[in-house]
Amino acid sequence: MEYYKEGGRLAFLKHKVDEATQSNTLTTFRPNNYEVLGLDISHHQPKVDWKQVKEEDIVFTFIKATEGVNHQDNYFSRHWRESKKHGILRGAYHFFLPSRNAEAQARNFLDRVHLEAGDLPPVLDVEVTNHQSDEEIRAGVQIWLDAVEEEYNLKPIIYTNYAFYKMHLEGHFNDYPLWLAHYTPENGHKINDHNWSFWQHTDTGKLKGIKGNADLNVFKGSLEDLYNMCYEPKN
């Protein structure tokens, strides 16, 4: 995958190590302060027992649909169908490659994802640079966001990790819901200064119904707030 070629995961892991060695005041900022729990998945979790996941009090899930201009996740359709069947709010995300045409990436996503009433807003996963400048990255992100918002009349969510956000996106796209990945609990207070809607607090979570590690998330708000974010098609 181009994701690994470009070093996004390695850069993020380096940030985790650097951050963990810094001295910071511990503050209480933990998932148990939040009542609305969720996860996100992709082809890395080909088999999911959604009945068991539901019994783990998971309310929502984000599912990888597409990447770049032509890649489509092989397990998206199954996860998309089965999560809704078991009463879990579902959303779809696109992994953005800044070096690729943003309009074509939006079309790839829109060709694959067809929202229904009650689905969560589309998500743009932005966490690699592909050696593009900040201006080029942000320009492409805006093109994708505009195209998808025009299709659904619903503001997409931006997902990114904390390090990438601070380096490339902070101060921009403030009108869009923000989903932050940040895995070091001892420094969790850092993201509390930002107006995020979702927090991916671990990529090594354990859930019944999913083999291996799972990405776990919380929503900053009530269940009613989450429902109010969902898609309502015009008549």
Side-chain angles (χ1 to χ4, degrees), residues 22 79 91 142:
Q22 296 172 3
H79 291 326
Q142 191 65 67

mmCIF file of all heavy atoms in Angstrom, residues 22 79 91 142:
data_model
loop_
_atom_site.group_PDB
_atom_site.id
_atom_site.type_symbol
_atom_site.label_atom_id
_atom_site.label_comp_id
_atom_site.label_asym_id
_atom_site.label_seq_id
_atom_site.Cartn_x
_atom_site.Cartn_y
_atom_site.Cartn_z
ATOM 1 N N GLN A 22 8.572 12.516 26.888
ATOM 2 C CA GLN A 22 8.529 13.874 27.402
ATOM 3 C C GLN A 22 7.860 13.900 28.770
ATOM 4 O O GLN A 22 7.063 13.044 29.111
ATOM 5 C CB GLN A 22 7.767 14.793 26.440
ATOM 6 C CG GLN A 22 8.454 14.930 25.092
ATOM 7 C CD GLN A 22 7.597 15.670 24.095
ATOM 8 O OE1 GLN A 22 6.509 16.134 24.431
ATOM 9 N NE2 GLN A 22 8.065 15.776 22.866
ATOM 10 N N HIS A 79 -19.161 -5.323 5.671
ATOM 11 C CA HIS A 79 -19.209 -4.601 6.948
ATOM 12 C C HIS A 79 -20.321 -3.554 6.945
ATOM 13 O O HIS A 79 -21.004 -3.344 7.953
ATOM 14 C CB HIS A 79 -17.868 -3.912 7.206
ATOM 15 C CG HIS A 79 -16.741 -4.855 7.499
ATOM 16 N ND1 HIS A 79 -16.909 -6.038 8.178
ATOM 17 C CD2 HIS A 79 -15.402 -4.773 7.216
ATOM 18 C CE1 HIS A 79 -15.743 -6.648 8.311
ATOM 19 N NE2 HIS A 79 -14.815 -5.907 7.723
ATOM 20 N N GLY A 91 -20.570 4.601 9.378
ATOM 21 C CA GLY A 91 -20.028 5.664 8.547
ATOM 22 C C GLY A 91 -18.931 5.080 7.674
ATOM 23 O O GLY A 91 -18.356 4.038 7.994
ATOM 24 N N GLN A 142 -9.627 20.203 0.499
ATOM 25 C CA GLN A 142 -10.810 21.041 0.302
ATOM 26 C C GLN A 142 -11.611 20.610 -0.920
ATOM 27 O O GLN A 142 -12.853 20.615 -0.892
ATOM 28 C CB GLN A 142 -10.388 22.502 0.160
ATOM 29 C CG GLN A 142 -11.560 23.480 0.229
ATOM 30 C CD GLN A 142 -12.221 23.475 1.600
ATOM 31 O OE1 GLN A 142 -11.624 23.881 2.582
ATOM 32 N NE2 GLN A 142 -13.471 22.997 1.666
#
